[in-house]
């Protein structure tokens, strides 16, 4: 881009404007910019009451107004207002029955770390003070006191788009002051009004900071009239026009026009004429809108769209552009007026190379980067490395949470029994391993990618209708491989379509309750009294309650086993499924009716049965593995 003197300079965030036909899709672009750490401002948006900081304040006020609103209190406690961990909330309820009762107690649960215990005491003191003051102060004064006691308005400043969030809180405080002028101290009225606004989302723009500064603007094309930006992005050019619903109308020239009952597309000739005129006027307005959007660009204009065939564009905006510019090559189709220089046009269908991992906005100095830089300087310059930059080893004995994948390398269910030939056990809690029988051909897709895709589809598919498997596989496959998504989708679809035709799938479809990807936290040791030494943490593929009310557990595997090797493969997972069964029994308060391994490649099942001796032996091995992990390294 060029500056006011015509000199070139680098592009800045503040040079970019994303112009949308309607702000109903703005959330998609906001999430993408947040994921990659790019500051933005939604100009003219109406999303004020859908911001997280508004939810946090509403939860706090609800909890202050009512000593029985457990949901609001939980939301406030785990928000940045009090920053309690989920484990802290669990132990508070475990010991006292409710969160409110826990705050009213004299001491925090013994299971908590000193830091979490201090947070609980601070939350209890703050909530007690606010509840005492709620009937003595105006709403705005109570709100201000809450900010003073918690520092929430300062905390949000450290987050992504912090100044905007702080401005939203100030705007909400000003709304409380406005309410106090007509209904002084009506806290319940303010809560009711704010709750309705959160649900109905009225047209209320985000608060503006003193100077938005170097940020990307998102706005509607109408809002951008009269403005100009170095780089303008016009996305979603293939967006289909909303035809709307035709209702009876009274036209000045054609008279009353009514569609036929039950079929709004059919009616009299007059209604057809009216619709034709309306469509022509709407097309003219859309042409003007496209012109306004394109002419907001001072230096660069980025047009973005998806299309099946550039030679045959389907939407009106693409058709309008195609009359002037060849969508496939970028070649000008029209001769420019004399004195106009030809624009430089580039057409690309390449997918942008963007890191899929979300950007974590640092809240302070990047210590890891400083250490790396220090080591580089030491290598270049004479001197010794200060001891203070050496890596700090983790204290193994302080570990309190374990997943089965962390223990699997130290566990073998039967150490005296030789392992099955040519089989290896991978880190199944993280990704699906690929157990292959000797001499059997490898899968075209990698075992990790196939297992991850199959689990993702099983988590999302409509288990009762059992349809859309192929579409889900094709949609999700690119997330798990870049090499050959169609082949991966085809192999996953083959496994899953066979599974949905099985009696087990029919039983799932008829089940009373089906829970997928069930997270569990199993206190260890099982017979120990609180505080527990540690916890086993993991996810269960499927837990369902059949029509008779009995609970059953399923674990899916994509190992390339055969009917002959099913017992050997199942034996590798016997201890893992025992952990799952113990967690379910503790949570449900009753034994499982069935704990089954679903081997999708051979289409086979294996149901586990544990004797009391098996269970004791397995529990002893888990305890030994945990002790070995916690043993300090020599």
């Amino acid at each position: 881009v060029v500056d006011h003197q015509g000199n070139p300079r680098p592009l800045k965030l503040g040079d970019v404007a994303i112009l949308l036909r309607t702000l109903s899709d703005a959330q998609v672009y906001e999430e993408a910019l947040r994921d990659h750490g790019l500051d933005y401002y939604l100009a003219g948006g109406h999303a004020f009451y859908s911001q997280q900081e508004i939810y946090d304040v509403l939860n706090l006020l609800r909890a202050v107004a009512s000593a029985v609103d457990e949901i609001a209190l939980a939301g406030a406690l785990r928000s940045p207002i009090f920053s309690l961990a989920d484990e802290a909330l669990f132990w508070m309820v475990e010991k006292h029955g409710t969160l409110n009762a826990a705050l009213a107690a004299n001491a925090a649960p013994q299971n908590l770390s000193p830091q979490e215990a201090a947070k609980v005491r601070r939350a209890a003191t703050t909530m007690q003070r606010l509840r005492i003051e709620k009937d003595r102060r105006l709403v705005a004064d109570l709100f201000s006191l809450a900010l003073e006691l918690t520092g929430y308005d300062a905390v949000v400043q450290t987050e992504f788009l912090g100044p905007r969030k702080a401005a939203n809180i100030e705007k909400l405080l000003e709304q409380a002051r406005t309410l106090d002028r007509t209904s002084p101290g009506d806290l319940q009225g303010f809560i009711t009004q704010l709750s309705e606004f959160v649900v109905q989302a009225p047209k209320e723009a985000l608060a503006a900071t003193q100077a938005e500064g170097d940020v990307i603007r998102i706005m509607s094309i109408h809002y951008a009239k009269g403005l100009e930006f170095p780089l303008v992005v016009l996305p979603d050019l293939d967006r289909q026009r909303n035809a709307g619903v035709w209702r009876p109308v009274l036209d000045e020239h054609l008279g009353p026009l009514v569609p036929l009952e039950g079929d709004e597309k059919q009616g009299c000739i007059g209604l057809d004429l009216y619709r034709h005129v309306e469509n022509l006027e709407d097309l003219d307005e859309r042409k003007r809108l496209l012109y306004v959007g394109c002419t907001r660009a001072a230096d660069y204009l980025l047009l973005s769209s998806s299309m099946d065939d550039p030679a045959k564009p389907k939407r009106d905006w693409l058709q309008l552009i195609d009359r002037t510019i060849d969508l496939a090559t970028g070649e000008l189709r029209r001769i420019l007026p004399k004195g106009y220089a030809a624009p430089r046009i580039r057409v690309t269908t390449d997918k942008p190379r963007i890191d899929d991992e979300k950007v974590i906005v640092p809240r302070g100095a990047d210590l890891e980067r400083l250490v790396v830089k220090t080591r580089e300087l030491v290598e270049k310059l004479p001197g010794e490395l200060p001891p203070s930059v050496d890596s700090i080893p983790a204290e193994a004995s302080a570990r309190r949470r374990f997943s089965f994948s962390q223990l699997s390398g130290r566990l073998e269910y039967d150490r005296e029994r030789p392992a099955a030939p040519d089989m290896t056990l991978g880190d199944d809690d993280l990704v699906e391993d690929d157990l292959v029988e000797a001499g059997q051909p490898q899968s075209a897709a990698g075992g990790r990618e196939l297992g991850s895709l199959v689990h993702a589809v099983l988590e999302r598919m409509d288990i009762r209708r059992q349809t859309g498997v192929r579409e889900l596989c094709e949609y999700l496959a690119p997330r798990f491989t870049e090499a050959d998504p169609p082949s991966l989708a085809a192999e996953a679809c083959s496994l899953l379509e066979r599974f949905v035709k099985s009696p087990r799938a029919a039983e799932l479809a008829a089940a009373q309750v089906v829970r997928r990807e069930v997270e569990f936290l199993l206190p260890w040791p099982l017979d120990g009294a609180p505080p527990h030494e540690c916890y086993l943490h993991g996810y269960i593929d499927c837990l369902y309650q059949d029509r008779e009310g009995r609970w059953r557990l399923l674990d899916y595997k994509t190992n390339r086993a055969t009917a002959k090797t099913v017992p050997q493969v199942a034996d590798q997972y016997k201890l893992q499924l025992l952990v799952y069964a113990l967690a379910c029994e503790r949570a449900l308060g009753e034994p499982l009716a069935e704990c089954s391994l679903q081997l999708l490649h051979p289409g086979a099942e294996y149901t586990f049965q544990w004797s009391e001796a098996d269970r004791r032996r397995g529990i002893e091995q888990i305890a030994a593995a945990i002790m070995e992990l916690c043993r300090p390294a020599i």
Side-chain angles (χ1 to χ4, degrees):
V1 298
V2 295
D3 57 20
H4 297 296
Q5 287 76 34
N7 300 317
R9 63 169 178 80
L11 185 74
K12 300 184 298 184
L13 291 181
D15 297 327
V16 182
I18 301 175
L19 305 186
L20 307 174
R21 275 184 261 191
T22 172
L23 291 180
S24 60
D25 297 332
Q27 183 178 359
V28 176
Y29 299 92
E30 289 186 84
E31 290 177 356
L33 294 174
R34 278 197 300 267
D35 289 348
H36 295 282
L38 299 175
D39 288 350
Y40 69 90
Y41 175 64
L42 181 62
H46 310 307
F48 175 73
Y49 293 105
S50 63
Q51 302 305 301
Q52 185 60 52
E53 56 270 21
I54 305 301
Y55 296 156
D56 292 344
V57 171
L58 177 57
N59 281 330
L60 176 63
L61 295 180
R62 280 174 170 170
V64 169
S66 172
V68 296
D69 194 335
E70 289 286 301
I71 295 178
L73 180 57
L77 291 176
R78 67 192 303 272
S79 74
I81 296 176
F82 296 112
S83 301
L84 264 68
D86 290 341
E87 288 83 352
L89 270 61
F90 171 81
W91 288 117
M92 290 166 68
V93 175
E94 182 80 359
K95 182 176 181 180
H96 299 284
T98 66
L99 292 173
N100 277 288
L103 292 184
N106 294 327
Q110 297 178 354
N111 312 73
L112 303 182
S113 66
Q115 294 82 359
E116 287 298 315
K119 292 179 185 178
V120 172
R121 290 192 293 270
R122 170 178 163 270
T125 303
T126 302
M127 292 300 298
Q128 182 183 14
R129 172 79 183 279
L130 293 175
R131 285 170 174 171
I132 292 174
E133 297 290 339
K134 69 180 177 67
D135 296 323
R136 303 176 181 176
R137 294 175 179 252
L138 298 176
V139 177
D141 292 341
L142 182 68
F143 192 172
S144 298
L145 177 62
L147 295 179
E148 178 185 341
L149 295 175
T150 64
Y152 180 56
D153 51 345
V155 172
V156 296
Q157 290 276 9
T158 66
E159 299 180 349
F160 182 66
L161 297 179
R164 180 82 41 72
K165 295 182 177 183
N168 285 337
I169 293 174
E170 183 60 35
K171 181 174 181 177
L172 189 62
L173 181 58
E174 186 58 38
Q175 290 183 355
R177 294 190 183 103
T178 302
L179 178 69
D180 282 332
R181 296 189 187 104
T182 56
S183 302
D186 186 7
L187 176 60
Q188 195 57 54
F190 183 71
I191 292 173
T192 301
Q193 182 187 69
L194 186 56
S195 301
E196 291 177 354
F197 287 167
V198 166
V199 173
Q200 298 177 359
K203 293 184 178 181
E204 182 72 27
L206 296 171
T209 55
Q210 290 292 332
E212 290 303 330
D214 189 21
V215 298
I216 296 173
R217 269 77 171 177
I218 304 175
M219 62 183 69
S220 67
I221 296 177
H222 283 293
Y223 195 90
K225 287 182 179 179
L227 304 177
E228 193 175 69
F229 306 92
L231 170 61
V232 166
V233 181
L234 282 179
D236 203 13
L237 296 179
D238 63 334
R239 181 188 179 100
Q240 187 174 6
R241 180 175 66 90
N242 184 11
V245 178
W246 289 101
R247 294 184 173 87
V249 295
L250 179 61
D251 185 75
E252 179 180 359
H253 303 289
L254 300 175
L257 305 172
V258 182
L260 295 178
E261 183 178 0
D263 189 355
E264 63 178 26
K265 295 184 179 180
Q266 297 295 326
C268 60
I269 295 178
L271 184 59
D272 293 336
L273 291 173
Y274 177 82
R275 290 171 174 170
H276 179 68
V277 173
E278 286 287 302
N279 287 333
L280 290 178
E281 292 180 352
D282 182 61
L283 180 59
D284 288 339
E285 174 60 26
R286 289 166 62 78
K287 287 179 182 178
R288 288 190 290 270
L289 198 62
L290 177 61
Y291 172 80
V292 171
C294 292
T295 53
R296 298 311 93 200
D299 298 306
Y300 296 95
L301 174 64
L302 176 59
L303 303 176
S304 174
S305 177
S306 60
M307 65 183 83
D308 297 328
D309 185 0
K312 298 178 181 179
K314 298 179 180 179
R315 308 301 179 207
D316 53 353
W317 274 19
L318 291 173
Q319 292 170 354
L320 289 169
I321 296 172
D322 190 57
R323 294 177 189 175
T324 303
I325 301 171
D326 189 315
L327 295 178
T329 65
E331 180 182 355
L332 281 174
R333 297 186 185 274
R334 297 185 180 182
I335 300 176
L336 295 175
K338 187 176 181 180
Y340 280 79
R344 289 180 292 178
I345 303 173
R346 179 191 172 196
V347 177
T348 179
T349 57
D350 296 335
K351 184 178 179 180
R353 298 186 61 182
I354 300 175
D355 186 1
D356 288 333
E357 293 184 0
K358 296 182 179 181
V359 174
I360 300 176
V361 180
R363 296 187 178 181
D366 189 340
L367 299 181
E368 291 186 2
R369 186 175 180 182
L370 288 176
V371 171
V372 171
K373 188 175 181 180
T374 302
R375 294 184 184 277
E376 291 175 350
L377 291 175
V378 169
E379 292 178 359
K380 294 179 181 179
L381 302 174
E384 296 183 358
L385 188 66
S388 58
V389 300
D390 286 341
S391 59
I392 302 175
E395 185 179 351
S397 60
R399 189 192 299 266
R400 298 192 66 202
R401 179 183 290 195
F402 302 88
S403 67
F404 188 83
S405 60
Q406 292 171 322
L407 304 178
S408 60
R410 294 167 170 80
L411 290 172
E412 183 180 339
Y413 189 79
D414 191 344
R415 296 185 182 273
E416 297 178 357
R417 180 185 306 169
D422 298 305
M423 293 187 179
T424 57
L425 178 60
D427 192 358
D428 189 67
D429 273 15
L430 300 178
V431 289
E432 193 70 20
D433 55 285
D434 194 19
L435 274 149
V436 184
E437 185 184 13
Q440 186 174 347
Q442 291 272 358
S443 167
R448 291 170 178 253
E449 291 84 358
L450 178 62
S452 299
L453 175 58
V454 166
H455 277 76
V457 175
L458 285 167
E459 181 184 357
R460 292 166 174 80
M461 66 179 286
D462 187 341
I463 199 65
R464 300 196 182 279
R465 298 176 62 186
Q466 299 175 350
T467 57
V469 173
R470 182 173 298 278
E471 291 78 4
L472 262 177
C473 290
E474 293 174 352
Y475 173 73
L476 294 173
R479 300 187 183 184
F480 300 102
T481 183
E482 296 181 358
D484 191 1
S487 297
L488 181 64
E491 184 166 3
C493 182
S494 175
L495 299 181
L496 292 169
E497 286 185 338
R498 179 169 55 190
F499 173 72
V500 298
K501 297 175 183 177
S502 67
R504 178 68 68 179
E507 186 173 275
L508 279 172
Q512 296 184 36
V513 179
V514 178
R515 296 286 183 263
R516 289 173 279 192
E517 291 300 314
V518 180
E519 185 178 13
F520 69 84
L521 197 65
L522 178 62
W524 198 269
L526 294 176
D527 55 353
H532 295 281
E533 295 178 3
C534 59
Y535 307 89
L536 289 174
H537 172 255
Y539 294 86
I540 297 169
D541 290 345
C542 182
L543 183 67
Y544 70 97
Q545 189 178 36
D546 62 22
R547 287 188 291 187
E548 287 74 31
R550 296 171 298 182
W551 287 96
R552 301 177 183 271
L553 184 150
L554 302 180
D555 194 71
Y556 306 109
K557 302 296 180 187
T558 56
N559 306 51
R560 291 182 62 82
T562 64
K564 178 182 177 181
T565 60
V566 164
Q568 292 174 309
V569 173
D571 191 65
Q572 304 293 318
Y573 299 104
K574 194 170 185 180
L575 193 54
Q576 178 183 351
L577 271 292
L578 175 61
V579 171
Y580 293 175
L582 293 173
C584 290
E585 290 174 4
R586 184 179 181 90
L588 299 172
E590 61 182 77
L592 292 172
E594 183 183 26
C595 187
S596 174
L597 193 69
Q598 301 293 308
L599 294 166
L600 300 178
H601 256 297
E605 293 187 356
Y606 188 93
T607 300
F608 293 97
Q609 299 289 342
W610 295 279
S611 65
E612 285 301 319
D614 289 335
R615 292 167 69 96
R616 284 197 303 272
R617 185 176 183 183
I619 291 171
E620 289 171 359
Q621 288 183 256
I622 294 172
I626 291 175
M627 289 184 63
E628 187 176 347
L629 266 179
C630 294
R631 186 178 301 153
I634 299 176

